Amino acid sequence: MARKFLYVVVVLIVLTLAAAFAYRIWGAELLRLGMIPRVRFEAQSELPRDSYARREMWLAHPKMASDPARWVPAGFAANPAPDAAVFFVHPTSYLDRAHWNAPLDDRVANDRAALFLRGQASAFNGAGAIWAPRYRQATFGAFLTSEADAQMALDLAYRDVVAAFDQFLKEAGDRPIILAGHSQGALHLTRLLRERVAGKPIAKRIVAAYVIGWPVSRTTDLPLMGLPECGSADTTGCILSWQTFGEPADPSLILDTFDATTGFNGQSRKDTPMICTNPLTGMPGSSAPREANLGSLVPAADLSTATLARGAVGARCEGRGILMIGDPPEGLGRAYVLPGNNYHVFDYSLFWANVRADAERRLAAYRKRQSGWLRTLRALG
């Protein structure tokens, strides 16, 4: 299991719930029936203060001899002397209905989380050393209901993320910081940005925040998250976000849920535009042909590794902020796509090489601007 890529996660969900035909027709209802816990939320104490000082609390850490975030496809290498410090929060890997939150020692959930690090966090190992914590993540079913138990599960997960972030800051020293996550991990990053970065000195050290696979309202969320949307390919101290769909797209499951929620400013998110960064250009609201795609991860037949395919898909931002990739890409099976032609699982892997180049480009721009400020200060002094 630990050697397989993240693509297997969706396969497990589909096979567990129904045959492919039924999933296509009744996917959302089947997910709710099969994934929402039928038990009450179990309140849990905060972790001991020094928990994240222990290596076993991390899925990836610079002092580990090896970890899944250091994987690279042929032709690439992890930076042996990384400049930045990367804090990566993995997406949901706990699918069990037995609890609202994953036990930290759940082997299956941790193995799945390692898969996500190989296919997602690995994009950043050319720019920085990666810290990726274990945390008592909310179960998959928490995202399929508005029950109070679901929010309490997410709050518990977030407390762990904050504790890990505090330890990360102690260990990162004065290095520039990249924040990244996907899905549930990106949700926790939005709150972390609002509560622990906005208006704080640390905001000046953020190279970029990759809030991928989770909607961010430009109107009700972004103004309170402490960083602006990335406006160009070399902007620093900014936020990137996208949600990937193929043709024909039906994002109603996401938009209906999003519209029923309240933004960080206390106002409804209904009909508000979402951040849509085109990962092929590093710019918002733009369009790029497939030739601009530097490489998508395509799994081997046995799913044990992956290769890069250049030019697999193009990308364009449409509507309220949905990233469209056009026709289904070759090599990535339709069985793995969620209802509505939602390529959520592939938000990183479809653009892996471009995400890698983006992080390295923004880090270089950050260092260049930092050097310019130092020269100016010396001249004034």
Side-chain angles (χ1 to χ4, degrees):
M1 174 67 73
R3 289 177 54 80
K4 295 183 179 179
F5 266 81
L6 59 93
Y7 313 113
V8 76
V9 175
V10 175
V11 177
L12 288 171
I13 296 172
V14 174
L15 293 178
T16 300
L17 296 179
F21 178 73
Y23 179 74
R24 291 294 177 187
I25 298 176
W26 300 294
E29 287 307 314
L30 284 171
L31 283 172
R32 291 188 179 98
L33 288 172
M35 306 305 288
I36 296 176
R38 297 302 178 216
V39 298
R40 304 307 303 174
F41 170 77
E42 307 162 56
Q44 300 181 45
S45 302
E46 291 189 9
L47 296 173
R49 183 170 297 182
D50 65 344
S51 291
Y52 286 98
R54 305 196 307 270
R55 292 290 86 84
E56 63 266 24
M57 289 295 291
W58 298 89
L59 292 163
H61 190 280
K63 290 187 178 179
M64 289 181 175
S66 63
D67 64 54
R70 300 187 193 187
W71 177 88
V72 288
F76 289 83
N79 192 334
D83 187 18
V86 180
F87 185 70
F88 186 90
V89 188
H90 71 76
T92 307
S93 63
Y94 184 62
L95 311 179
D96 204 318
R97 290 196 303 165
H99 306 282
W100 281 95
N101 292 87
L104 286 170
D105 60 355
D106 189 287
R107 181 176 178 180
V108 173
N110 287 329
D111 283 348
R112 288 186 185 131
L115 308 182
F116 288 116
L117 296 190
R118 285 167 62 90
Q120 298 178 348
S122 61
F124 300 100
N125 65 32
I130 299 172
W131 282 254
R134 303 177 192 270
Y135 66 103
R136 290 173 291 184
Q137 59 182 289
T139 188
F140 184 85
F143 295 92
L144 305 174
T145 178
S146 58
E147 293 179 25
D149 287 337
Q151 186 57 54
M152 289 188 287
L154 289 167
D155 288 342
L156 173 60
Y158 175 71
R159 291 202 303 269
D160 286 0
V161 171
V162 170
F165 183 65
D166 288 343
Q167 183 65 30
F168 162 77
L169 292 180
K170 291 179 183 177
E171 297 181 8
D174 61 356
R175 286 189 280 186
I177 292 170
I178 294 173
L179 302 177
H182 184 248
S183 196
Q184 178 172 173
L187 168 63
H188 295 315
L189 279 186
T190 65
R191 187 171 173 184
L192 192 75
L193 285 162
R194 178 190 176 189
E195 297 181 2
R196 304 303 295 270
V197 173
K200 307 290 195 304
I202 190 177
K204 296 180 180 179
R205 291 173 52 197
I206 305 296
V207 175
Y210 294 79
V211 185
I212 312 304
W214 193 263
V216 177
S217 169
R218 285 189 173 118
T219 306
T220 66
D221 299 328
L222 185 61
L224 295 177
M225 290 171 66
L227 302 175
E229 178 181 4
C230 292
S232 68
D234 64 351
T235 305
T236 61
C238 58
I239 296 171
L240 302 87
S241 182
W242 63 83
Q243 299 170 93
T244 313
F245 281 79
E247 302 278 9
D250 179 9
S252 58
L253 285 176
I254 289 177
L255 295 181
D256 290 349
T257 302
F258 186 65
D259 285 349
T261 61
T262 300
F264 289 155
N265 67 356
Q267 298 178 2
S268 172
R269 292 183 171 118
K270 184 175 176 58
D271 298 328
T272 61
M274 300 176 292
I275 293 179
C276 181
T277 312
N278 189 326
L280 300 184
T281 66
M283 299 171 60
S286 56
S287 178
R290 64 179 60 217
E291 290 78 14
N293 193 321
L294 301 177
S296 303
L297 289 182
V298 178
D302 63 357
L303 301 179
S304 64
T305 186
T307 57
L308 275 184
R310 292 183 66 98
V313 295
R316 69 184 188 279
C317 290
E318 276 192 359
R320 290 175 56 189
I322 296 297
L323 185 70
M324 300 296 301
I325 59 171
D327 295 331
E330 295 183 9
L332 299 176
R334 298 285 292 170
Y336 308 135
V337 181
L338 299 177
N341 261 339
N342 186 347
Y343 277 76
H344 180 70
V345 169
F346 308 104
D347 281 326
Y348 273 97
S349 58
L350 282 172
F351 315 105
W352 187 91
N354 288 82
V355 172
R356 187 178 185 85
D358 187 276
E360 294 175 0
R361 182 176 60 248
R362 293 187 197 277
L363 178 59
Y366 174 92
R367 282 304 194 194
K368 182 177 180 180
R369 291 181 179 121
Q370 187 180 56
S371 297
W373 295 333
L374 289 174
R375 287 195 298 270
T376 300
L377 287 174
R378 292 191 186 103
L380 293 174

